[in-house]
Amino acid sequence: MKKIVFLLIVFCCFLNVVSGQVKLNYLDEFIIQDSLTFKNTIVGGLSGIDYAHNTFYFVVDDAQNPRIISAKIKINDGEIQNVHFTDVVLLEKSKHTFFNNNTLDLESIFVDEKENIYLASEGSIKKKKLPSVFKVDKKGIFLERFHLPKHLSNLKNVKHNAAFEASSRAIHKDGFWIAMEGVLKSDGKEASFQKTNSPIRITYIHKSTKKATHQYAYQLEAIPKPPKGNINLNGVTAILEYKKNSFLVVERIYQNGYGAYGNTIKIFEATVDENTTNTLQIEALVDNVFYPLKKRLLLDFDDIRNQLTEGIVDNIEGITFGPKLSNGNQSLLLVSDDNFQIYGKQLNQLILLEIVDK
């Protein structure tokens, strides 16, 4: 009898674990017109997305004119029916020296309950300009910047074009998460073909103290296809905390030898458990034992490639919750950065997914 009770308990626990998991379903794609102009600016370089106050916000990665574009996106019956741009917010560079003293390579955005806008910039290591995380108001006026841990603010340790690429508001509203795209020099090597020891850092920053309080390592995947060109990179381009200490993480592998099919995009679930190491006080991961976030593959975009325009999985760099769908499930919207077409044909691609509890 005791054995039967024990087995029932184990079975119930198993059901709870399974039912606590999620999966992602592809629903729809929408292509924003190439080089569309709105309020005397080009709609392109969309490197981050957020949904707040019934409005979608995009950050535009334009070094000469960094800006935020807002839009209303109509989603009905699992389809993106239209995208209506509503405003452009320019950063008021004349109002604060921060903008002139920093290189703004804006990669991520989220908006708080007061409509303040949080932005992450990669800076420019080549120009000796550090990455930064800062806040502006809804008119683009600078409000404050946030302090970075020593290992994230060392020009000799951060690789060029591999700094802050992703951010997410926290489930608890007292802070937010910021993620590196690539590996710090002190932490490991860049992922290569079928080989990796490449942890990136995801850091929690408290809003009121403006300082980091904890941090976790996330292991990148190896490059899956043999190199054909001279660029073969993997990095994290977007994160979203979808429940406490559980993240959706977008990994983007880019290989320039494969032309329009050079992107390999995957979404993983990454979870903090009782073994995960708080790496905030660890200066060099390569010299220490640590336990990274537990990860599980949720979606490989190669599996839905035949449902996308010309079979192209483009340069996905942003993810956000959208409105609840008619079936009650939570929607996700992802956006690609077309780099203003300077590297050849790319798409302003919106991808609609849904989160389904198993």
Side-chain angles (χ1 to χ4, degrees):
M1 182 65 178
K2 288 182 180 178
K3 185 175 181 180
I4 294 173
V5 171
F6 174 76
L7 289 173
L8 285 172
I9 291 171
V10 171
F11 181 66
C12 289
C13 290
F14 174 76
L15 285 180
N16 287 334
V17 170
V18 172
S19 64
Q21 291 186 341
V22 299
K23 68 175 183 176
L24 301 181
N25 287 340
Y26 169 77
L27 296 179
D28 196 22
E29 176 201 46
F30 186 96
I31 304 299
I32 299 169
Q33 178 185 329
D34 170 30
S35 301
L36 176 70
T37 58
F38 175 67
K39 290 196 170 183
N40 298 314
T41 66
I42 295 175
V43 177
L46 305 177
S47 59
I49 186 173
D50 189 40
Y51 180 64
H53 312 288
N54 296 313
T55 300
F56 286 90
Y57 297 84
F58 301 93
V59 65
V60 176
D61 182 9
D62 180 350
Q64 302 303 315
N65 188 22
R67 55 195 181 273
I68 296 101
I69 300 178
S70 58
K72 298 291 186 181
I73 299 177
K74 187 176 181 181
I75 297 172
N76 192 30
D77 293 331
E79 295 183 352
I80 304 171
Q81 296 193 330
N82 60 63
V83 177
H84 174 65
F85 294 103
T86 56
D87 201 7
V88 175
V89 177
L90 303 177
L91 300 184
E92 292 290 345
K93 295 181 179 180
S94 63
K95 303 276 186 175
H96 202 281
T97 57
F98 171 84
F99 295 126
N100 294 320
N101 293 337
N102 288 271
T103 296
L104 298 183
D105 181 2
L106 301 183
E107 299 290 353
S108 188
I109 182 173
F110 68 90
V111 180
D112 68 16
E113 62 278 2
K114 296 180 181 179
E115 296 186 71
N116 293 318
I117 302 168
Y118 294 70
L119 298 166
S121 169
E122 284 202 296
S124 175
I125 304 306
K126 289 181 179 179
K127 296 179 181 179
K128 301 188 184 305
K129 297 294 185 180
L130 284 167
S132 59
V133 185
F134 62 98
K135 180 170 69 171
V136 300
D137 69 12
K138 60 184 179 181
K139 295 181 179 179
I141 297 173
F142 178 86
L143 295 176
E144 60 183 349
R145 74 180 302 172
F146 297 87
H147 302 289
L148 303 177
K150 182 180 177 181
H151 46 268
L152 300 184
S153 56
N154 182 346
L155 283 168
K156 295 181 179 179
N157 197 31
V158 180
K159 297 176 184 177
H160 183 73
N161 204 32
F164 296 144
E165 186 79 20
S167 67
S168 171
R169 68 167 64 81
I171 294 298
H172 297 299
K173 297 180 181 180
D174 58 351
F176 60 91
W177 299 93
I178 187 80
M180 298 290 287
E181 178 181 3
V183 185
L184 293 172
K185 294 178 183 178
S186 61
D187 288 347
K189 297 181 179 180
E190 293 178 358
S192 60
F193 177 52
Q194 296 183 341
K195 294 175 63 177
T196 184
N197 180 21
S198 311
I200 63 99
R201 303 209 193 200
I202 300 177
T203 306
Y204 183 85
I205 297 179
H206 199 279
K207 286 182 180 179
S208 60
T209 65
K210 296 189 284 294
K211 294 181 179 180
T213 60
H214 46 287
Q215 180 188 81
Y216 304 111
Y218 172 91
Q219 282 282 11
L220 295 172
E221 299 292 292
I223 306 291
K225 296 185 289 189
K228 287 186 177 182
N230 62 340
I231 300 176
N232 297 272
L233 297 172
N234 189 16
V236 168
T237 61
I239 62 170
L240 184 66
E241 188 181 26
Y242 77 94
K243 64 180 181 181
K244 185 180 178 182
N245 289 330
S246 292
F247 306 91
L248 302 178
V249 180
V250 179
E251 285 191 45
R252 175 196 59 200
I253 295 169
Y254 176 67
Q255 299 180 265
N256 66 340
Y258 288 85
Y261 304 95
N263 288 306
T264 301
I265 309 289
K266 297 179 181 180
I267 302 178
F268 292 88
E269 177 188 53
T271 306
V272 180
D273 65 17
E274 64 275 7
N275 296 317
T276 310
T277 303
N278 182 354
T279 61
L280 189 60
Q281 303 304 322
I282 302 176
E283 288 298 315
L285 295 180
V286 74
D287 297 329
N288 289 272
V289 175
F290 66 94
Y291 295 94
L293 292 161
K294 185 179 180 181
K295 63 186 289 190
R296 178 173 69 96
L297 179 63
L298 294 180
L299 180 64
D300 185 337
F301 274 67
D302 279 351
D303 294 338
I304 62 170
R305 189 181 288 274
N306 63 356
Q307 301 178 68
L308 303 177
T309 299
E310 298 180 24
I312 294 173
V313 178
D314 220 303
N315 184 31
I316 302 293
E317 291 198 354
I319 185 173
T320 186
F321 294 121
K324 285 291 183 71
L325 299 167
S326 56
N327 63 6
N329 288 338
Q330 176 64 58
S331 70
L332 293 171
L333 202 68
L334 296 94
V335 67
S336 69
D337 177 357
D338 75 340
N339 293 305
F340 296 101
Q341 312 286 327
I342 61 175
Y343 301 116
K345 180 184 177 181
Q346 287 188 261
L347 304 174
N348 281 323
Q349 190 174 40
L350 293 174
I351 305 290
L352 180 65
L353 307 176
E354 68 173 331
I355 301 177
V356 179
D357 289 321
K358 286 186 177 181

